[in-house]
Structure formats: structure tokens, C-alpha cells
Amino acid sequence: MALNTFFQNYEASGEQRLIEDLILESIRIYGVQTFYMPRTLVNQDQLFTEDALSKFEDAYDLEMYVKNTEGFQGEGEFLSRFGIEIRDQITLTISKRRFEEEVTDVDPEFKRPLEGDLVYLPWIQSADANISGALFQIKFVEHENVFYQL
């Protein structure tokens, strides 16, 4: 059976751009307002490739889509011998084009979100105290290309 010559999915950049626009619009409709703060390394240890003194100098206003809507995932509050640890997790999706427009065009050093960067969610209200907002550290970024038809 031969391929249909009327549908060239891999060479139709106009259709690909249309689908990207629809995804971007859906993130703007169903997403939440966040602030992305890229990490700047101050004094990186070359042996362990870690930096105890990081700087967060900029905050970029971006919309992101929350994938887990039932609440925070993860282990929740965890009591260890070092004190209480809050291990809440949230899965966010951001448009690659919006990230490039807002962050990469301003500072070309940041090509994509990286592990160690921060995301501030100003819309979260704490029930225990009069604190608004939550700060999350990015632990994992899925940056591989996902195979879609277009």
C-alpha cells in the first residue's frame, strides 16, 4: 500500500507551526502563572561538580501547565533525624518556544531549564500560616525529543 501523497506530515512546517500554536494557547488557557529563576554557579567544585553557593539573580514570568492536578506528589512531609523535610513534587510543562522568547532571547546562556533552577508558584496558599507562594527546585528536566506525528 503506497503512502498518501496529499499528506506530507514531516515536511509541512505550516501545520507543525499551527499545532505548536494550539499547544501554546492551551497552556495559556489551562496553565498557571509561575516565575522561573535560573541558577548561576558561583564557585563550582570541579571534583564533585556541585556548587554550595548559587545565585538566583533573575526571575522570568512564564506560564506552565500543571500535569498532576490531584495535589502534590512525592513523599510529603518526612521526619528524619535532621529535622522535618518537605518532599512535595509537582510536574510542570512549558512551551519550548515561550521559554526561548522569554528567557533565551534575554540571556542566551540559558537555552533550556536546568536541574537546580527554581520555580516560584505565587498562587499556592498555605493553610498553616499566612504564607502565599511555594518555591520548588527543578530536579529533572525531560529534554529529549518526544516522537509525535507532526
Side-chain angles (χ1 to χ4, degrees), residues 31-49:
V32 295
Q33 206 64 33
T34 64
F35 291 95
Y36 168 74
M37 294 179 275
R39 178 174 69 160
T40 305
L41 301 176
V42 176
N43 188 11
Q44 184 178 11
D45 183 5
Q46 298 301 321
L47 180 62
F48 295 111
T49 64

Side-chain angles (χ1 to χ4, degrees), residues 33-128:
Q33 206 64 33
T34 64
F35 291 95
Y36 168 74
M37 294 179 275
R39 178 174 69 160
T40 305
L41 301 176
V42 176
N43 188 11
Q44 184 178 11
D45 183 5
Q46 298 301 321
L47 180 62
F48 295 111
T49 64
E50 64 183 8
D51 187 7
L53 300 172
S54 298
K55 293 191 302 188
F56 300 93
E57 300 174 319
D58 297 317
Y60 299 97
D61 190 7
L62 293 169
E63 61 275 352
M64 296 185 187
Y65 177 73
V66 180
K67 280 194 169 182
N68 46 349
T69 57
E70 292 85 30
F72 293 115
Q73 295 178 341
E75 299 175 24
E77 287 78 21
F78 178 73
L79 186 60
S80 69
R81 63 178 165 169
F82 301 110
I84 189 165
E85 295 179 24
I86 300 175
R87 295 184 176 179
D88 290 336
Q89 293 180 0
I90 188 168
T91 304
L92 300 167
T93 301
I94 185 170
S95 167
K96 181 179 177 183
R97 188 172 83 193
R98 277 291 290 153
F99 186 84
E100 289 172 352
E101 289 173 357
E102 292 294 322
V103 181
T104 307
D105 289 349
V106 175
D107 192 349
E109 178 184 349
F110 305 110
K111 306 255 186 265
R112 64 179 182 88
L114 297 173
E115 289 82 4
D117 296 346
L118 300 178
V119 176
Y120 176 69
L121 308 174
W123 46 272
I124 294 180
Q125 298 290 328
S126 174
D128 299 336

Side-chain angles (χ1 to χ4, degrees), residues 118 132 143 150:
L118 300 178
S132 65
H143 61 276
L150 296 176

